[in-house]
Amino acid sequence: MADIHPFRALRYDLQRVSASQVVTQPYDKITPAMQERYYAASPYNLVRIILGRREAEDDARDNVYTRAAAYARQWRTEGILRQDSAPSIYTYSQTFTAPSGTSFERRGFIALGRVEDYSAKVVFRHEQTLSKPKADRLDLLRTTRAHYEQLFLLYEDSGEIASLLATQQPPTIDVADEYGVAHRVWQISDPVVIASVQEKMRDKKLVIADGHHRYETALNFRDECRGSAGRGNAGRAAAAGSNPQAPYEFVMMTFVNMDDPGLLVLPTHRVVHSLDSFSVDDFQNASRKFFEVDEIAPALDAARATALLRERGRAGTALLAVTANRAFILHSPKAAAAQFLTGLSARQQALDVVQLHKCLLEGVLKLSEESIRNQQNLSYLREASEVLAQVRNGAANIAFLMNPCPVEQVRDVAFAGEVMPQKSTDFYPKLLSGLTAYALD
């Protein structure tokens, strides 16, 4: 089912540049301050391609996308970016310390994966996407004709694939990012090993962990290219009769086993701000219709908040609501909550994030689905300490802290063809951009 291929990766020549000065976090995690820092780090930093500066005088001939393509051409001409001589797959290790203080290693491999329609039931999503980010990434892909960032895909395996890719050789790339994560890549060019990995992956179903927008961008680009080649976009059957190996039929992916001990999902907390009117007492009273609500001492820190959530979460749904000077644990959903969950499967109704969005954000606080989608009164934060600081300094009306969503729940929702609310999962750490690229030409 999963069609995996080696490729000749486009990579930085590490004799010419330092890896630490040219790699970046994924484009959607780059803040304006990070963008400036990357620009200053090196004239060859990948940010110039994946998230370049926009200028007031940009026009159809000179804009962020045309400049990205020009940089890519120039760097290849100068030999800063070179294409590997042998088709390869690339073992990828990330060694990191979690916010809890525990150290982990997450291992996977980078290869090409066939772009599949969701209806083919090979690649499964678990989150909705928005049109604006996809339009931006499609313009970049059209202009540069290369995938410079990896998609993060999950598969299920007993560990055989990781064993096949184990090596005692020194890494091809070894770099630490700004968060202290050690990224190591090994180039695997042995045709026998590659064929074995391809065979083991053939029966796998794939779940998108990170990169939903870029995956759907690859789908849209594939369909455009099929149409330009006179095949229309009737799906894989049309391509199979002509050129199923066309470069646009594939995208660069990092594959990680769902049972990898380093696969860590963090919660993404919700911060509600700028409400026209907000009363803590009204919120407490309204929430009691749908949950058991226990008020707790408000002077808790991030560690205590996390521990309390983890403890209460063992018995089921647990949410922590915090205002400037009060705090509540919401747990044990009541029958009345069902009115907001109509039409959702039992799998979705069991998700803390769904109950938060439907019962509290929409039901109690009256935020519309559209306003949530557009983040009009809502922001998302990973760090519990930052969440607490925002509500305590008056920058927010109320914030909700959550437990992380287990990978098993992500898998079950995805395989059922269902989706979760935006930012339901935060797979940590992110895949580094700039380790490998897939050039279509």
Side-chain angles (χ1 to χ4, degrees), residues 7-80:
F7 69 115
R8 295 170 56 217
L10 190 64
R11 295 193 291 114
Y12 279 105
D13 182 348
L14 299 183
Q15 301 300 313
R16 303 281 303 278
V17 297
S18 168
S20 62
Q21 294 179 339
V22 294
V23 296
T24 76
Q25 295 298 313
Y27 85 99
D28 57 344
K29 299 299 179 183
I30 298 175
T31 65
M34 292 168 68
Q35 184 189 49
E36 291 304 309
R37 189 169 71 246
Y38 290 147
Y39 260 86
S42 168
Y44 302 111
N45 189 282
L46 190 70
V47 75
R48 288 173 169 79
I49 293 176
I50 63 170
L51 193 68
R53 291 173 176 146
R54 296 180 183 271
E55 308 292 348
E57 61 272 18
D58 281 357
D59 57 28
R61 289 188 174 185
D62 184 12
N63 54 62
V64 67
Y65 308 113
T66 61
R67 288 192 293 273
Y71 282 125
R73 287 192 300 269
Q74 176 188 340
W75 298 351
R76 292 182 73 172
T77 299
E78 293 179 8
I80 300 298

Side-chain angles (χ1 to χ4, degrees), residues 235-255:
R236 186 172 178 179
S242 44
N243 187 10
Q245 304 306 316
Y248 52 75
E249 296 285 340
F250 300 91
V251 67
M252 184 171 64
M253 301 175 174
T254 291
F255 301 90

Side-chain angles (χ1 to χ4, degrees), residues 199-218:
E199 180 59 32
K200 293 292 184 184
M201 288 294 293
R202 194 156 285 133
D203 66 345
K204 306 301 183 190
K205 295 179 179 180
L206 305 173
V207 175
I208 302 172
D210 261 342
H212 287 79
H213 289 92
R214 283 174 285 134
Y215 183 79
E216 293 183 16
T217 295

Side-chain angles (χ1 to χ4, degrees), residues 275-304:
L275 297 177
D276 291 334
S277 61
F278 175 75
S279 161
V280 180
D281 288 334
D282 288 348
F283 169 80
Q284 180 186 25
N285 293 332
S287 298
R288 280 184 173 141
K289 299 175 185 176
F290 313 114
F291 296 93
E292 294 295 336
V293 179
D294 299 335
E295 185 158 8
I296 60 175
L300 73 172
D301 59 13
R304 174 59 181 153

Side-chain angles (χ1 to χ4, degrees), residues 100-168:
S100 65
T102 306
S103 295
F104 293 94
E105 182 186 21
R106 185 173 74 196
R107 295 184 73 91
F109 68 94
I110 305 168
L112 299 187
R114 183 175 294 280
V115 180
E116 302 273 8
D117 294 313
Y118 293 135
S119 59
K121 298 190 181 303
V122 176
V123 176
F124 297 79
R125 61 179 179 165
H126 75 270
E127 287 187 354
Q128 293 279 18
T129 57
L130 303 174
S131 58
K132 187 175 180 180
K134 287 189 288 187
D136 166 58
R137 293 297 96 180
L138 184 56
D139 283 340
L140 181 65
L141 180 55
R142 285 171 179 150
T143 309
T144 61
R145 293 188 59 81
H147 295 278
Y148 288 96
E149 299 191 274
Q150 309 161 47
L151 304 180
F152 188 172
L153 279 292
L154 303 176
Y155 67 92
E156 291 185 283
D157 179 69
S158 62
E160 294 174 280
I161 292 172
S163 296
L164 287 169
L165 293 171
T167 177
Q168 298 302 313

